[in-house]
Amino acid sequence: MLRRLPVRHVAGLLPVLIVLGIAYWKWPMLDKGTAQLGSADTEWLLAAAAATLLAWVCSATAQQGAVLEQLPAGRLLATQFAASAANHILPAGIGGNAVNLRFLLRCGLPPSRCAAALAVRALAACVVRIALLTTLLAAFPHALHVHRVVPARADNPLAITVVALACAVALFLALVRPVRRTACDFLGTVAADVRAVHGSSARAAALWTGSLALPVMQALVLVAVVRALHTPVPPVHVALAYLAGSAAAALLPTPGGFGSLDVALVLALVTAGATAVAATSAVLAYRIVTVWLPLLPGVLVLAALVRRRVL
């Protein structure tokens, strides 16, 4: 009986079951976050929902800019929606990258080019986020008061851990020859794709515009939620808190940033001037808008794309 069940039907049903399990596990948080949204400003919540939708458009634009081939626009946008849902099931963006990789393979790109396209997009996103964070910190140096949550110590454990991990990775790549050779070959492919993409002004514009607009939209979601809950924190400070919090959460990859991103955003909002209670409420509401409301539709779209062999 099980052998007769199509594999793609099982693959389409599995994410739905995982989401239902996560929702059951996180039900106290969902209940509390929903209660917070009940007293929020409806217009600002609609603005947060609109920014969430635009974030998927920005993601699709960046992905199109990372390849020279013209991708089918409708399926590309649906894939980004499905990839965002997959990111909340597997850690460190593995789910979203797997969905995008499968989509590019279905579009006829060779495996090495597909992996390079994802790397080009990730590199652009990293450069843009660092540039945004650095620029805003330079323009508003007193926006975040880190001493409110982290003692001012030279031997901060987090900084020491980050440096130690970076040194360990560099040492591993330097000593293990097969890994070094594979990494060099892959970086060569990525460099070739970067040159090819920037040889087309349209593709370069799509890559950098989408990469820049995506974190801006994500920050605007948090800004709108904070405003909806009437928390007296300036929008620029909230945007800085989002960029700093999401960067810190990347150091501890979890499915969809559950736990790591929540704590990081709460601490970042506290450094921006919010109280601990207001910051927690804002993050719970932010999670409802960006994760829980679109999650089930996202996995249903993922299941449909798998069944139709788009993925």
Side-chain angles (χ1 to χ4, degrees), residues 290-311:
T290 60
V291 177
W292 294 107
L293 289 180
L295 188 54
L296 186 57
V299 296
L300 292 176
V301 170
L302 176 61
L305 292 177
V306 171
R307 285 197 303 269
R308 296 182 182 183
R309 299 184 182 275
V310 176
L311 300 178

PDB file of all heavy atoms in Angstrom, residues 290-311:
ATOM      1  N   THR A 290       4.621  37.582  10.255  1.00  0.00           N
ATOM      2  CA  THR A 290       5.600  37.130   9.257  1.00  0.00           C
ATOM      3  C   THR A 290       5.732  35.619   9.154  1.00  0.00           C
ATOM      4  O   THR A 290       6.201  35.126   8.128  1.00  0.00           O
ATOM      5  CB  THR A 290       6.986  37.716   9.575  1.00  0.00           C
ATOM      6  OG1 THR A 290       7.400  37.259  10.888  1.00  0.00           O
ATOM      7  CG2 THR A 290       6.969  39.229   9.552  1.00  0.00           C
ATOM      8  N   VAL A 291       5.335  34.889  10.187  1.00  0.00           N
ATOM      9  CA  VAL A 291       5.542  33.435  10.187  1.00  0.00           C
ATOM     10  C   VAL A 291       4.226  32.674  10.203  1.00  0.00           C
ATOM     11  O   VAL A 291       3.905  31.929   9.277  1.00  0.00           O
ATOM     12  CB  VAL A 291       6.423  33.001  11.382  1.00  0.00           C
ATOM     13  CG1 VAL A 291       6.560  31.482  11.408  1.00  0.00           C
ATOM     14  CG2 VAL A 291       7.782  33.652  11.310  1.00  0.00           C
ATOM     15  N   TRP A 292       3.431  32.882  11.252  1.00  0.00           N
ATOM     16  CA  TRP A 292       2.315  31.978  11.481  1.00  0.00           C
ATOM     17  C   TRP A 292       1.158  32.196  10.521  1.00  0.00           C
ATOM     18  O   TRP A 292       0.527  31.228  10.086  1.00  0.00           O
ATOM     19  CB  TRP A 292       1.856  32.086  12.936  1.00  0.00           C
ATOM     20  CG  TRP A 292       2.914  31.588  13.859  1.00  0.00           C
ATOM     21  CD1 TRP A 292       3.716  32.327  14.678  1.00  0.00           C
ATOM     22  CD2 TRP A 292       3.327  30.222  14.019  1.00  0.00           C
ATOM     23  NE1 TRP A 292       4.602  31.512  15.348  1.00  0.00           N
ATOM     24  CE2 TRP A 292       4.383  30.206  14.967  1.00  0.00           C
ATOM     25  CE3 TRP A 292       2.910  29.015  13.466  1.00  0.00           C
ATOM     26  CZ2 TRP A 292       5.018  29.045  15.359  1.00  0.00           C
ATOM     27  CZ3 TRP A 292       3.542  27.842  13.856  1.00  0.00           C
ATOM     28  CH2 TRP A 292       4.578  27.869  14.786  1.00  0.00           C
ATOM     29  N   LEU A 293       0.851  33.441  10.186  1.00  0.00           N
ATOM     30  CA  LEU A 293      -0.241  33.667   9.231  1.00  0.00           C
ATOM     31  C   LEU A 293       0.077  33.123   7.835  1.00  0.00           C
ATOM     32  O   LEU A 293      -0.768  32.474   7.217  1.00  0.00           O
ATOM     33  CB  LEU A 293      -0.583  35.162   9.167  1.00  0.00           C
ATOM     34  CG  LEU A 293      -1.279  35.731  10.410  1.00  0.00           C
ATOM     35  CD1 LEU A 293      -1.556  37.225  10.227  1.00  0.00           C
ATOM     36  CD2 LEU A 293      -2.578  34.987  10.713  1.00  0.00           C
ATOM     37  N   PRO A 294       1.301  33.346   7.301  1.00  0.00           N
ATOM     38  CA  PRO A 294       1.578  32.811   5.956  1.00  0.00           C
ATOM     39  C   PRO A 294       2.115  31.386   5.934  1.00  0.00           C
ATOM     40  O   PRO A 294       2.322  30.835   4.846  1.00  0.00           O
ATOM     41  CB  PRO A 294       2.640  33.775   5.410  1.00  0.00           C
ATOM     42  CG  PRO A 294       3.312  34.350   6.599  1.00  0.00           C
ATOM     43  CD  PRO A 294       2.345  34.284   7.734  1.00  0.00           C
ATOM     44  N   LEU A 295       2.335  30.765   7.114  1.00  0.00           N
ATOM     45  CA  LEU A 295       3.032  29.475   7.130  1.00  0.00           C
ATOM     46  C   LEU A 295       2.214  28.359   6.492  1.00  0.00           C
ATOM     47  O   LEU A 295       2.706  27.641   5.617  1.00  0.00           O
ATOM     48  CB  LEU A 295       3.411  29.107   8.572  1.00  0.00           C
ATOM     49  CG  LEU A 295       4.320  27.882   8.716  1.00  0.00           C
ATOM     50  CD1 LEU A 295       5.570  28.027   7.861  1.00  0.00           C
ATOM     51  CD2 LEU A 295       4.679  27.658  10.171  1.00  0.00           C
ATOM     52  N   LEU A 296       0.961  28.197   6.909  1.00  0.00           N
ATOM     53  CA  LEU A 296       0.153  27.121   6.335  1.00  0.00           C
ATOM     54  C   LEU A 296      -0.108  27.340   4.841  1.00  0.00           C
ATOM     55  O   LEU A 296       0.042  26.413   4.038  1.00  0.00           O
ATOM     56  CB  LEU A 296      -1.163  26.966   7.104  1.00  0.00           C
ATOM     57  CG  LEU A 296      -2.031  25.774   6.677  1.00  0.00           C
ATOM     58  CD1 LEU A 296      -1.254  24.474   6.788  1.00  0.00           C
ATOM     59  CD2 LEU A 296      -3.310  25.710   7.514  1.00  0.00           C
ATOM     60  N   PRO A 297      -0.489  28.567   4.400  1.00  0.00           N
ATOM     61  CA  PRO A 297      -0.589  28.773   2.946  1.00  0.00           C
ATOM     62  C   PRO A 297       0.725  28.507   2.222  1.00  0.00           C
ATOM     63  O   PRO A 297       0.721  27.982   1.102  1.00  0.00           O
ATOM     64  CB  PRO A 297      -0.982  30.255   2.830  1.00  0.00           C
ATOM     65  CG  PRO A 297      -1.641  30.577   4.116  1.00  0.00           C
ATOM     66  CD  PRO A 297      -0.938  29.751   5.152  1.00  0.00           C
ATOM     67  N   GLY A 298       1.830  28.836   2.864  1.00  0.00           N
ATOM     68  CA  GLY A 298       3.130  28.605   2.235  1.00  0.00           C
ATOM     69  C   GLY A 298       3.416  27.130   2.012  1.00  0.00           C
ATOM     70  O   GLY A 298       3.896  26.732   0.941  1.00  0.00           O
ATOM     71  N   VAL A 299       3.122  26.292   3.012  1.00  0.00           N
ATOM     72  CA  VAL A 299       3.387  24.859   2.840  1.00  0.00           C
ATOM     73  C   VAL A 299       2.395  24.237   1.863  1.00  0.00           C
ATOM     74  O   VAL A 299       2.715  23.260   1.182  1.00  0.00           O
ATOM     75  CB  VAL A 299       3.376  24.111   4.193  1.00  0.00           C
ATOM     76  CG1 VAL A 299       4.499  24.589   5.084  1.00  0.00           C
ATOM     77  CG2 VAL A 299       2.040  24.245   4.892  1.00  0.00           C
ATOM     78  N   LEU A 300       1.187  24.798   1.781  1.00  0.00           N
ATOM     79  CA  LEU A 300       0.232  24.302   0.774  1.00  0.00           C
ATOM     80  C   LEU A 300       0.726  24.633  -0.632  1.00  0.00           C
ATOM     81  O   LEU A 300       0.604  23.805  -1.553  1.00  0.00           O
ATOM     82  CB  LEU A 300      -1.152  24.901   1.018  1.00  0.00           C
ATOM     83  CG  LEU A 300      -1.866  24.437   2.294  1.00  0.00           C
ATOM     84  CD1 LEU A 300      -3.188  25.174   2.465  1.00  0.00           C
ATOM     85  CD2 LEU A 300      -2.088  22.927   2.270  1.00  0.00           C
ATOM     86  N   VAL A 301       1.286  25.839  -0.808  1.00  0.00           N
ATOM     87  CA  VAL A 301       1.879  26.188  -2.103  1.00  0.00           C
ATOM     88  C   VAL A 301       3.068  25.281  -2.387  1.00  0.00           C
ATOM     89  O   VAL A 301       3.250  24.812  -3.525  1.00  0.00           O
ATOM     90  CB  VAL A 301       2.300  27.668  -2.114  1.00  0.00           C
ATOM     91  CG1 VAL A 301       3.130  27.986  -3.357  1.00  0.00           C
ATOM     92  CG2 VAL A 301       1.078  28.561  -2.068  1.00  0.00           C
ATOM     93  N   LEU A 302       3.881  25.008  -1.367  1.00  0.00           N
ATOM     94  CA  LEU A 302       5.020  24.094  -1.534  1.00  0.00           C
ATOM     95  C   LEU A 302       4.548  22.716  -1.977  1.00  0.00           C
ATOM     96  O   LEU A 302       5.125  22.114  -2.902  1.00  0.00           O
ATOM     97  CB  LEU A 302       5.788  23.998  -0.214  1.00  0.00           C
ATOM     98  CG  LEU A 302       6.961  23.019  -0.157  1.00  0.00           C
ATOM     99  CD1 LEU A 302       8.031  23.379  -1.176  1.00  0.00           C
ATOM    100  CD2 LEU A 302       7.557  22.976   1.247  1.00  0.00           C
ATOM    101  N   ALA A 303       3.503  22.217  -1.342  1.00  0.00           N
ATOM    102  CA  ALA A 303       2.964  20.908  -1.720  1.00  0.00           C
ATOM    103  C   ALA A 303       2.451  20.912  -3.156  1.00  0.00           C
ATOM    104  O   ALA A 303       2.665  19.969  -3.920  1.00  0.00           O
ATOM    105  CB  ALA A 303       1.851  20.504  -0.757  1.00  0.00           C
ATOM    106  N   ALA A 304       1.781  22.001  -3.544  1.00  0.00           N
ATOM    107  CA  ALA A 304       1.257  22.096  -4.918  1.00  0.00           C
ATOM    108  C   ALA A 304       2.384  22.138  -5.932  1.00  0.00           C
ATOM    109  O   ALA A 304       2.298  21.516  -6.997  1.00  0.00           O
ATOM    110  CB  ALA A 304       0.369  23.337  -5.039  1.00  0.00           C
ATOM    111  N   LEU A 305       3.459  22.871  -5.624  1.00  0.00           N
ATOM    112  CA  LEU A 305       4.592  22.961  -6.552  1.00  0.00           C
ATOM    113  C   LEU A 305       5.282  21.602  -6.692  1.00  0.00           C
ATOM    114  O   LEU A 305       5.748  21.246  -7.779  1.00  0.00           O
ATOM    115  CB  LEU A 305       5.598  24.007  -6.042  1.00  0.00           C
ATOM    116  CG  LEU A 305       5.116  25.463  -6.080  1.00  0.00           C
ATOM    117  CD1 LEU A 305       6.172  26.373  -5.485  1.00  0.00           C
ATOM    118  CD2 LEU A 305       4.783  25.900  -7.499  1.00  0.00           C
ATOM    119  N   VAL A 306       5.339  20.852  -5.587  1.00  0.00           N
ATOM    120  CA  VAL A 306       5.940  19.509  -5.657  1.00  0.00           C
ATOM    121  C   VAL A 306       5.073  18.593  -6.509  1.00  0.00           C
ATOM    122  O   VAL A 306       5.573  17.848  -7.371  1.00  0.00           O
ATOM    123  CB  VAL A 306       6.134  18.931  -4.236  1.00  0.00           C
ATOM    124  CG1 VAL A 306       6.538  17.459  -4.310  1.00  0.00           C
ATOM    125  CG2 VAL A 306       7.190  19.721  -3.485  1.00  0.00           C
ATOM    126  N   ARG A 307       3.771  18.626  -6.304  1.00  0.00           N
ATOM    127  CA  ARG A 307       2.870  17.761  -7.066  1.00  0.00           C
ATOM    128  C   ARG A 307       2.891  18.089  -8.552  1.00  0.00           C
ATOM    129  O   ARG A 307       2.778  17.196  -9.401  1.00  0.00           O
ATOM    130  CB  ARG A 307       1.448  17.873  -6.526  1.00  0.00           C
ATOM    131  CG  ARG A 307       1.211  17.151  -5.217  1.00  0.00           C
ATOM    132  CD  ARG A 307      -0.266  16.939  -4.952  1.00  0.00           C
ATOM    133  NE  ARG A 307      -1.002  18.199  -4.957  1.00  0.00           N
ATOM    134  CZ  ARG A 307      -1.223  18.954  -3.906  1.00  0.00           C
ATOM    135  NH1 ARG A 307      -0.706  18.578  -2.734  1.00  0.00           N
ATOM    136  NH2 ARG A 307      -1.921  20.065  -3.986  1.00  0.00           N
ATOM    137  N   ARG A 308       3.031  19.366  -8.890  1.00  0.00           N
ATOM    138  CA  ARG A 308       3.039  19.782 -10.296  1.00  0.00           C
ATOM    139  C   ARG A 308       4.426  19.711 -10.925  1.00  0.00           C
ATOM    140  O   ARG A 308       4.625  20.165 -12.042  1.00  0.00           O
ATOM    141  CB  ARG A 308       2.479  21.195 -10.417  1.00  0.00           C
ATOM    142  CG  ARG A 308       1.023  21.303 -10.012  1.00  0.00           C
ATOM    143  CD  ARG A 308       0.501  22.709 -10.183  1.00  0.00           C
ATOM    144  NE  ARG A 308      -0.898  22.800  -9.748  1.00  0.00           N
ATOM    145  CZ  ARG A 308      -1.632  23.903  -9.837  1.00  0.00           C
ATOM    146  NH1 ARG A 308      -1.082  25.014 -10.313  1.00  0.00           N
ATOM    147  NH2 ARG A 308      -2.875  23.909  -9.431  1.00  0.00           N
ATOM    148  N   ARG A 309       5.396  19.190 -10.159  1.00  0.00           N
ATOM    149  CA  ARG A 309       6.773  19.000 -10.636  1.00  0.00           C
ATOM    150  C   ARG A 309       7.455  20.323 -10.985  1.00  0.00           C
ATOM    151  O   ARG A 309       8.372  20.354 -11.818  1.00  0.00           O
ATOM    152  CB  ARG A 309       6.797  18.043 -11.845  1.00  0.00           C
ATOM    153  CG  ARG A 309       6.261  16.666 -11.546  1.00  0.00           C
ATOM    154  CD  ARG A 309       6.385  15.739 -12.732  1.00  0.00           C
ATOM    155  NE  ARG A 309       5.829  14.440 -12.461  1.00  0.00           N
ATOM    156  CZ  ARG A 309       6.472  13.437 -11.867  1.00  0.00           C
ATOM    157  NH1 ARG A 309       7.723  13.619 -11.470  1.00  0.00           N
ATOM    158  NH2 ARG A 309       5.882  12.266 -11.663  1.00  0.00           N
ATOM    159  N   VAL A 310       7.000  21.400 -10.377  1.00  0.00           N
ATOM    160  CA  VAL A 310       7.756  22.658 -10.493  1.00  0.00           C
ATOM    161  C   VAL A 310       9.007  22.555  -9.623  1.00  0.00           C
ATOM    162  O   VAL A 310      10.053  23.130  -9.944  1.00  0.00           O
ATOM    163  CB  VAL A 310       6.881  23.851 -10.045  1.00  0.00           C
ATOM    164  CG1 VAL A 310       7.678  25.145 -10.053  1.00  0.00           C
ATOM    165  CG2 VAL A 310       5.674  23.971 -10.967  1.00  0.00           C
ATOM    166  N   LEU A 311       8.919  21.768  -8.543  1.00  0.00           N
ATOM    167  CA  LEU A 311      10.058  21.501  -7.661  1.00  0.00           C
ATOM    168  C   LEU A 311      10.392  20.023  -7.710  1.00  0.00           C
ATOM    169  O   LEU A 311       9.536  19.189  -7.947  1.00  0.00           O
ATOM    170  CB  LEU A 311       9.720  21.912  -6.223  1.00  0.00           C
ATOM    171  CG  LEU A 311       9.381  23.387  -6.012  1.00  0.00           C
ATOM    172  CD1 LEU A 311       9.030  23.646  -4.549  1.00  0.00           C
ATOM    173  CD2 LEU A 311      10.548  24.278  -6.434  1.00  0.00           C
TER     174      LEU A 311
END
